[in-house]
Amino acid sequence: MLNIVLFGPPGAGKGTQSEKLIEQYQLKHLSTGDIFRANIKGETELGTLAKSYIDKGALVPDEVTINMLKAELEKNPNAKGFIFDGFPRTTPQAEALDELLASLDTSISVMLALEVAEEELKARLLERAKTSGRTDDADPAIIQNRIDTYNSQTAPVKNFYADQQKLQEINGLGSIDEITDRLFSAIDTLD
Ligand code: AMP
């Protein structure tokens, strides 16, 4: 199986690039942000809980997020591989993901970490707000919280995969196609 963690700060292009990767490699896309938003739209209990964190730009608690991810993995027993987009966002989530995949006799193949400078992220998120309908993209204070949360809680997850020799940093600046090409070549040269 090819199991990819597509990593990076908010606005790095994870969603856009996931679309390219799933098409090229026939992977199942698991975006925890998308799943939370679907729950908010469907007015589920999970959605109500998640919304209270998302609206502030904070992380949904690990236990809730991990249980949700586990349920999504179980819904897809025949997947050729997964692309994890927006997960793991904390080291406990990364540890839980390793355990979940081990129980399925598989593991993470690579973490592809998109690198984009903070000023560019803020500009991209405000631009995306015009069409995404996401309130967490439209407010500079919430954007700043998301970036601060990324820096304090999420960026350290890179070390978890670096220790396993699975981290590959990818320049996230340039055209969408240029970035896609960088991701494809990183995947195609995995040993
Ligand atoms: P995203 O669509 O990945 O930008 O995620 C939007 C929001 O959903 C984040 O700001 C968090 O509040 C929440 N979220 C998404 N994925 C996770 C995760 N793995 N752990 C905790 N919260 C998450």
Side-chain angles (χ1 to χ4, degrees):
M1 272 173 105
L2 176 62
N3 296 310
I4 297 171
V5 173
L6 187 58
F7 193 78
K14 299 187 293 294
T16 304
Q17 294 300 335
S18 287
E19 297 299 321
K20 310 278 183 185
L21 296 180
I22 55 177
E23 199 181 313
Q24 178 83 357
Y25 301 100
Q26 283 85 50
L27 304 174
K28 172 71 190 167
H29 182 206
L30 291 184
S31 158
T32 42
D34 285 353
I35 302 167
F36 285 135
R37 281 185 289 277
N39 275 277
I40 292 171
K41 207 165 164 216
E43 297 180 350
T44 69
E45 206 176 310
L46 174 64
T48 307
L49 178 88
K51 189 174 183 334
S52 64
Y53 295 93
I54 293 174
D55 282 352
K56 291 184 285 198
L59 293 184
V60 178
D62 281 341
E63 195 191 340
V64 175
T65 307
I66 291 164
N67 284 337
M68 180 180 87
L69 200 276
K70 180 171 186 271
E72 291 296 321
L73 282 175
E74 285 165 358
K75 278 187 209 163
N76 292 282
N78 299 319
K80 282 179 66 178
F82 293 95
I83 172 150
F84 298 97
D85 163 5
F87 183 94
R89 260 178 159 95
T90 63
T91 302
Q93 290 182 15
E95 288 164 354
L97 181 59
D98 267 7
E99 280 177 31
L100 285 170
L101 292 178
S103 73
L104 301 172
D105 276 330
T106 186
S107 61
I108 289 299
S109 314
V110 66
M111 169 191 260
L112 300 170
L114 292 168
E115 303 293 327
V116 178
E118 191 164 319
E119 288 314 307
E120 170 76 11
L121 296 173
K122 291 179 187 169
R124 285 188 190 179
L125 290 169
L126 287 170
E127 187 59 31
R128 185 170 78 181
K130 294 178 187 164
T131 53
S132 70
R134 285 180 56 172
T135 49
D136 62 342
D137 285 346
D139 180 336
I142 298 175
I143 290 177
Q144 191 62 54
N145 275 348
R146 290 164 67 199
I147 292 175
D148 291 347
T149 301
Y150 171 82
N151 288 331
S152 62
Q153 298 186 57
T154 304
V157 177
K158 277 200 263 182
N159 299 333
F160 181 88
Y161 291 97
D163 288 346
Q164 298 185 16
Q165 278 80 48
K166 289 180 179 172
L167 169 65
Q168 291 207 38
E169 293 180 311
I170 306 286
N171 176 2
L173 279 184
S175 71
I176 290 174
D177 286 347
E178 281 166 350
I179 299 163
T180 305
D181 284 346
R182 289 176 201 144
L183 293 168
F184 284 0
S185 57
I187 295 167
D188 293 339
T189 53
L190 286 175
D191 36 53

